[in-house]
Amino acid sequence: QVQLVESGGGLAQAGGSLRLSCTASGLTFREYTMAWFRQAPGKEREGVSCISWSGGRSLYGSSVKDRFTISRDNAKSTLYLQINNLKPEDTAMYYCAAKGGSYCVLSGDAYVYWGQGTQVTVSS
């Protein structure tokens, strides 16, 4: 049974930082492209970032580029998202997701496995 468990969310002030983690089990982590998505209340799900199975390639959504950094530790089966210079508009539920293959995309439809999410709330 595949499980993706996110952690690291919480309440933070604008300008601060958070690091989200996603620990995977039940799959061969190094064989999966991983991604972070987010969804704010009343808004559509947004692709934040993705990273190839080796970590050698990554993509970022235009609204988070230069502030977010995705990384992975295949030995620990863990995906990370470093968020710097938090903004109130970053407030959302953040989800990690996994897909087979090496092609990194920010379309949620391409991802097979999803976590339950971790809430990030940024106060101004």
Side-chain angles (χ1 to χ4, degrees):
Q1 179 181 0
V2 175
Q3 283 193 315
L4 302 177
V5 180
E6 301 95 336
S7 62
L11 177 63
Q13 290 188 335
S17 299
L18 283 174
R19 188 173 84 152
L20 308 184
S21 300
C22 170
T23 301
S25 60
L27 54 73
T28 304
F29 185 75
R30 65 180 181 273
E31 295 180 354
Y32 284 78
T33 290
M34 300 297 295
W36 288 98
F37 292 82
R38 68 184 182 184
Q39 189 166 20
K43 295 188 176 181
E44 293 188 355
R45 183 176 61 196
E46 176 187 9
V48 173
S49 182
C50 61
I51 187 167
S52 63
W53 51 22
S54 67
R57 185 170 183 175
S58 59
L59 291 175
Y60 294 90
S62 58
S63 64
V64 305
K65 197 175 182 180
D66 298 328
R67 295 190 299 116
F68 288 27
T69 303
I70 193 170
S71 61
R72 64 189 296 161
D73 185 336
N74 287 344
K76 295 182 178 180
S77 296
T78 301
L79 175 73
Y80 302 100
L81 184 69
Q82 178 69 39
I83 309 174
N84 296 326
N85 190 21
L86 281 159
K87 300 179 178 182
E89 51 263 42
D90 294 325
T91 295
M93 185 72 80
Y94 284 72
Y95 300 90
C96 70
K99 63 178 285 290
S102 60
Y103 192 53
C104 185
V105 293
L106 291 179
S107 171
D109 292 343
Y111 289 80
V112 178
Y113 301 113
W114 291 81
Q116 293 299 307
T118 185
Q119 177 69 39
V120 171
T121 304
V122 183
S123 62
S124 58

